[in-house]
Amino acid sequence: MTSPNNLYFILTRTSECRVGSAGCICYMGEAKHRSLTRRSPPPTKLPVCFWGSSLFLDYDIEVSSLGELSAEEAELLQALPDKQERLHWFQEREVLQAARGLTVGSAVTVLQGKERLRGIVRFVGRIPNSYSSPPPGWFFGIELQGEDRGKGDTDGICQNKTIFPCAKDCGVFAEFHRVRPVAPSSLSPSSRKHSETDEVAPGDRVTYFVEDKCQHGMVLHVKEKDGEHCVRISTDSNDEVDVPLDYVAKGEVTPESMDTETTPVEKDCADLSLNSVVEVTLAKGTSYGIIRWIGTPQGCPDTMAGLELDEPDGVSDGTFKGKRFFDCAPKKALFVKLRSCRPDSRFQSTAADCSEKMLESDTAGQNNTGHSTGMLGTVPPVGTEQVSHILIGRMKGIQGHYNSCYMDAALFSLFSCSSVLDAMLFKPTEPQDAPIQSTLLKDIVNPLRIKGFVEGRHIMKLRQQLQSHGYSKSFTTDEKDPEEFLTVIMHHILALDPLLKLSMGGKVQESYCYQIFLDQNHSLVLPTVQQLLEHSFHHAGLKLAEVPPCFILQMPRFGKKFKMFDRIIPSLELDVTNLLSEGPQQCMLCGDLAQAECTDCFKDPIFSQTGFKIFCQKCSSQVHAHPQRRSHQPVALDIPRGYMSHGMTHTLIRDKLELFAVLCIETSHYVSFIKHGPNSQDWIFFDSMADRQGEKDGFNIPEVHACPEVGMYLEMSPMELANQVPRDMKGVAKRLFCDAYMYLYQSPNMCLYR
């Protein structure tokens, strides 16, 4: 995910340090770049991060090896998996520049196999085809037109998500180098009676009139027929018609011919505002949507509402009379008179019941804490004794909308029952970022902790704010990975101090989360999170420079396509004592003060399932007396000065983190488990889309319920767990053990409330 605060580069040749090969995309902060390049003499190397690395480690790369990129160019090039191909098209700048100018609605040709096909761009951005690292970059979603319809390979659906609606085999997802813009057809002088702004060109949305009926479509081309200029139009019903140019108007007029109900509903209308959930009666029946814009367009006497509909029953992608008012998928925007809108009747009874419960909760919250929803005060997380009253139930948790489950699950995990990252809600921030911080605190975290419920409009508001800041053009539409969202919030927006300080070869690097990678020769079968972390640190040669306040761990998996392990056992505590680069450590055999570490023992089958191989002097001598281990070379550990004096030993205090949340994903939908208390049964399960029918209608029905069955399995021995058949596990326990994506641990000493 690109950021306006970064500068992007492509390696034009393999670096001297052999870290990255030619064609890799990398970046660094703009402020840091400005500071370094102002020095005299200017630096010959720059510290850059490689795009897709979850460690955010800096590598010093020669300036002469770096080719500058814009953020858009970086996204486009990243879509090409072959690095040499990226470098080739970087050098062919004309094609790259032409691709940057393409937008939704552009008429293009796309190379499919050995044939160039005509089409219209319906989508530009990332597609959820994998949860890969590095991220896939920008693709073009193209709906084929005319005789080329049926020659594609998609119906606009990717990973069960509708990216753009089109008929079967009438769509193509393509990288930029396969796409070429179509030059607009020039109109002859005789047709110039239209003003310059009224001229139509391929790709334009237009309104045309046939037998006094107003209809809409997309221009394919302008041609001369029987002595007059005609426009070939791809209609919204997927037909093609030729219409005289005089009967075609650029843009879209008010859909009065759609017979919207115009009976005044002033009482209901007065309560409507941006992001209100509404319904409107059309000739084909009732349609549902969300108000994205309210105003009075030039030439219209009435107050209009721009709706984003749940289904493609509209006429545009957010444009009205040639002007863009908001962005949405094609055929999902409809502009009607505001008085024609009514509150969505499907949720009136549910909302009324929920509001009554919230009012009671608000009153109790104000009496007990002195805070209410909408206040910028400090509200503690939900305690174990309050979970059943505040969080458990239907229409509880965070109500998302349209691919927001990654954000819903991440926010619920971080803030419902933990305060470890509350500091970022109150830290001083830049003026332009203050509204995002305010939305997080006032509209999301506080309502969640007081009422146990966050309305979907607040999540959409946060997504719109993030998108308007330029971090991604698809924050309001596309599904993303939780780590992308968390990195934007913690690093780019709120500038939170990095959670992790990793020591490698004497150099300390900083990061916000850690992706577990393992040697392919590992012998783990049913690992615990503790084992995965220790093996990953050993394989990468890493240590912790200090105990992290919050440790966010990504499991070794990539979406639904690849999981290294069928099951992972959650570690309720994460012991990081032996992962620290400094400080006393404990012998893995007897528990005494460790004085030596042996990496060769990692290959020994006797020790392969255990963590770091560190021993006291006595145990090290005994272990390495074995004939098969005499060639091992244990290394002495640094013992703090004064820790052992005059033969006296000190009690070793172990540094442990506690598990407080787990994010899981089975296919393309995130859910979360929360550990809210000290007992093994203190688990709750959150699903922002518990009601599948609700998601189909465009609105999520969230639900939180207790899952004490998780504790029963966690109390089993590894042997007992290995004998469990996942599909036979009770409740939602299978999802925790089989679908874990991200584990969240916290330091008990760093939580504001205990």
Side-chain angles (χ1 to χ4, degrees):
M1 182 183 306
T2 52
S3 165
N5 298 325
N6 290 334
L7 296 178
Y8 294 86
F9 306 92
I10 184 172
L11 261 65
T12 56
R13 56 188 173 90
T14 301
S15 64
E16 293 178 359
C17 61
R18 301 291 177 182
V19 174
S21 56
C24 286
I25 307 293
C26 53
Y27 65 93
M28 69 179 297
E30 183 177 6
K32 189 174 184 179
H33 179 271
R34 190 185 310 114
S35 173
L36 291 174
T37 53
R38 284 178 177 175
R39 296 178 181 176
S40 181
T44 58
K45 295 183 178 181
L46 291 175
V48 298
C49 291
F50 285 95
W51 198 0
S53 171
S54 62
L55 295 180
F56 300 98
L57 300 180
D58 290 339
Y59 297 93
D60 291 331
I61 304 297
E62 303 82 15
V63 174
S64 59
S65 300
L66 298 174
E68 293 189 17
L69 298 172
S70 67
E72 294 86 354
E73 290 173 333
E75 290 276 13
L76 292 168
L77 288 168
Q78 187 66 30
L80 304 179
D82 185 80
K83 297 173 185 175
Q84 290 301 320
E85 195 173 16
R86 282 185 210 153
L87 192 58
H88 167 75
W89 290 107
F90 165 71
Q91 294 165 346
E92 295 287 337
R93 301 295 288 225
E94 290 185 5
V95 175
L96 193 58
Q97 292 300 321
R100 290 182 61 187
L102 297 177
T103 59
V104 172
S106 295
V108 296
T109 63
V110 56
L111 183 64
Q112 183 77 343
K114 296 182 179 180
E115 187 178 4
R116 281 215 164 265
L117 309 177
R118 292 182 304 147
I120 302 294
V121 176
R122 301 299 194 196
F123 168 83
V124 182
R126 295 187 179 185
I127 57 176
N129 61 342
S130 67
Y131 290 84
S132 59
S133 180
W138 283 356
F139 285 77
F140 291 90
I142 299 167
E143 182 179 8
L144 301 179
Q145 303 291 318
E147 297 176 354
D148 293 330
R149 295 178 63 82
K151 297 181 181 180
D153 54 14
T154 182
D155 54 359
I157 297 176
C158 186
Q159 294 293 306
N160 297 321
K161 298 292 182 182
T162 300
I163 307 302
F164 64 94
C166 70
K168 183 179 179 181
D169 294 333
C170 288
V172 174
F173 287 107
E175 304 90 339
F176 78 93
H177 68 303
R178 294 165 51 196
V179 183
R180 296 290 187 275
V182 174
S185 301
S186 299
L187 300 178
S188 67
S190 62
S191 67
R192 297 296 176 91
K193 58 186 177 183
H194 291 270
S195 67
E196 289 298 319
T197 58
D198 287 337
E199 288 183 5
V200 294
D204 285 344
R205 289 288 298 175
V206 293
T207 300
Y208 63 97
F209 299 88
V210 177
E211 297 179 352
D212 295 329
K213 291 184 178 179
C214 172
Q215 300 184 50
H216 303 90
M218 186 77 65
V219 175
L220 297 179
H221 57 266
V222 181
K223 62 180 182 178
E224 194 166 313
K225 181 179 180 182
D226 298 330
E228 66 176 0
H229 286 86
C230 289
V231 182
R232 172 64 63 90
I233 297 174
S234 173
T235 71
D236 288 346
S237 57
N238 292 326
D239 296 322
E240 292 187 10
V241 296
D242 289 331
V243 181
L245 182 60
D246 292 342
Y247 293 89
V248 178
K250 187 175 180 180
E252 295 174 357
V253 301
T254 310
E256 298 294 341
S257 61
M258 301 185 73
D259 298 330
T260 56
E261 183 181 86
T262 57
T263 303
V265 283
E266 303 299 339
K267 182 178 182 298
D268 290 335
C269 177
D271 296 328
L272 300 179
S273 60
L274 287 180
N275 297 318
S276 289
V277 180
V278 297
E279 61 184 40
V280 61
T281 301
L282 306 178
K284 63 185 296 184
T286 301
S287 289
Y288 304 94
I290 297 178
I291 296 180
R292 296 301 187 203
W293 176 84
I294 295 176
T296 305
Q298 186 176 1
C300 290
D302 298 299
T303 300
M304 304 290 291
L307 309 183
E308 180 181 358
L309 301 178
D310 298 352
E311 303 296 334
D313 299 330
V315 294
S316 77
D317 60 355
T319 60
F320 178 67
K321 292 189 175 181
K323 182 178 180 181
R324 178 166 298 282
F325 291 91
F326 62 92
D327 293 293
C328 70
K331 300 183 184 179
K332 282 200 171 185
L334 181 67
F335 289 83
V336 298
K337 296 174 182 177
L338 181 61
R339 66 171 181 265
S340 299
C341 301
R342 304 180 302 277
D344 191 329
S345 59
R346 298 170 303 169
F347 291 90
Q348 292 306 295
S349 58
T350 305
D353 294 341
C354 185
S355 297
E356 185 176 343
K357 294 177 181 178
M358 289 180 184
L359 183 59
E360 295 173 0
S361 178
D362 262 344
T363 304
Q366 290 173 353
N367 291 338
N368 296 332
T369 68
H371 300 287
S372 63
T373 305
M375 292 184 63
L376 289 172
T378 304
V379 178
V382 181
T384 301
E385 67 284 351
Q386 298 174 304
V387 164
S388 60
H389 171 64
I390 296 179
L391 288 179
I392 300 295
R394 184 177 170 85
M395 287 295 283
K396 290 290 188 177
I398 297 176
Q399 182 187 39
H401 176 59
Y402 197 71
N403 292 339
S404 70
C405 63
Y406 70 96
M407 188 179 293
D408 310 331
L411 291 172
F412 188 86
S413 298
L414 283 177
F415 296 112
S416 60
C417 298
S418 173
S419 60
V420 69
L421 292 181
D422 275 18
M424 73 179 186
L425 302 173
F426 302 98
K427 70 182 297 295
T429 188
E430 296 296 327
Q432 67 270 20
D433 297 326
I436 294 180
Q437 186 182 47
S438 176
T439 297
L440 271 174
L441 176 61
K442 184 178 71 170
D443 297 329
I444 297 175
V445 175
N446 281 358
L448 178 63
R449 292 175 174 179
I450 293 173
K451 300 178 178 180
F453 178 74
V454 178
E455 296 178 56
R457 62 190 178 94
H458 296 311
I459 296 298
M460 181 55 73
K461 176 182 176 182
L462 177 63
R463 296 169 76 183
Q464 290 170 338
Q465 288 175 324
L466 293 173
Q467 181 166 298
S468 66
H469 271 57
Y471 293 106
S472 172
K473 293 182 178 179
S474 56
F475 245 120
T476 59
T477 55
D478 292 0
E479 187 172 289
K480 302 188 180 299
D481 294 335
E483 64 272 18
E484 292 183 38
F485 164 62
L486 294 177
T487 299
V488 167
I489 288 290
M490 293 190 290
H491 177 52
H492 298 298
I493 300 290
L494 300 180
L496 188 70
D497 291 338
L499 302 176
L500 297 178
K501 296 185 185 297
L502 302 171
S503 176
M504 182 173 62
K507 186 177 180 180
V508 175
Q509 301 285 347
E510 298 177 332
S511 179
Y512 291 89
C513 57
Y514 179 74
Q515 169 73 64
I516 288 179
F517 292 103
L518 297 180
D519 188 339
Q520 293 183 352
N521 298 321
H522 71 84
S523 57
L524 299 174
V525 179
L526 181 60
T528 65
V529 176
Q530 180 82 39
Q531 292 172 336
L532 291 175
L533 179 63
E534 291 177 344
H535 277 70
S536 181
F537 264 47
H538 169 73
H539 174 64
L542 293 172
K543 289 282 190 176
L544 290 172
E546 60 184 38
V547 179
C550 180
F551 205 164
I552 301 177
L553 286 173
Q554 294 174 244
M555 294 299 99
R557 62 169 293 174
F558 302 101
K560 69 176 183 179
K561 290 191 175 181
F562 171 77
K563 289 195 297 185
M564 184 172 285
F565 301 99
D566 292 331
R567 285 177 287 177
I568 295 173
I569 302 176
S571 298
L572 297 181
E573 286 187 328
L574 205 59
D575 192 333
V576 298
T577 309
N578 295 340
L579 303 181
L580 294 170
S581 59
E582 298 181 357
Q585 301 180 39
Q586 199 172 41
C587 174
M588 61 176 292
L589 297 179
C590 69
D592 285 347
L593 182 68
Q595 295 176 277
E597 177 180 9
C598 181
T599 58
D600 295 322
C601 285
F602 255 97
K603 304 174 184 178
D604 194 306
I606 293 180
F607 300 116
S608 63
Q609 296 293 317
T610 58
F612 273 72
K613 321 308 173 190
I614 56 176
F615 310 95
C616 65
Q617 193 162 0
K618 180 179 178 181
C619 290
S620 180
S621 300
Q622 293 176 345
V623 166
H624 294 100
H626 192 283
Q628 293 183 358
R629 303 190 193 100
R630 288 175 182 170
S631 61
H632 290 190
Q633 297 181 343
V635 178
L637 295 173
D638 291 332
I639 301 175
R641 183 178 300 176
Y643 192 81
M644 295 185 63
S645 58
H646 306 294
M648 294 189 300
T649 60
H650 299 255
T651 301
L652 184 64
I653 300 176
R654 306 209 56 90
D655 291 300
K656 296 182 179 181
L657 306 177
E658 60 184 25
L659 178 65
F660 71 94
V662 184
L663 272 72
C664 301
I665 179 172
E666 183 178 10
T667 53
S668 59
H669 177 60
Y670 288 94
V671 297
S672 60
F673 290 83
I674 308 298
K675 182 77 167 65
H676 60 82
N679 299 321
S680 60
Q681 294 80 20
D682 293 337
W683 286 88
I684 57 176
F685 173 77
F686 165 61
D687 186 350
S688 65
M689 200 175 71
D691 188 326
R692 302 289 169 173
Q693 181 64 32
E695 196 278 337
K696 177 178 179 296
D697 291 335
F699 300 90
N700 296 346
I701 306 296
E703 184 174 0
V704 181
H705 64 79
C707 50
E709 66 274 11
V710 168
M712 177 185 72
Y713 291 103
L714 290 175
E715 291 176 344
M716 293 182 178
S717 67
M719 183 65 69
E720 289 176 302
L721 276 174
N723 292 328
Q724 296 294 315
V725 179
R727 67 173 178 271
D728 295 334
M729 297 178 81
K730 295 182 180 180
V732 293
K734 169 186 173 292
R735 304 190 72 171
L736 176 64
F737 286 88
C738 300
D739 301 332
Y741 180 86
M742 179 181 285
Y743 279 81
L744 282 71
Y745 289 86
Q746 63 186 4
S747 170
N749 301 323
M750 297 301 293
C751 295
L752 300 178
Y753 303 94
R754 298 296 298 167

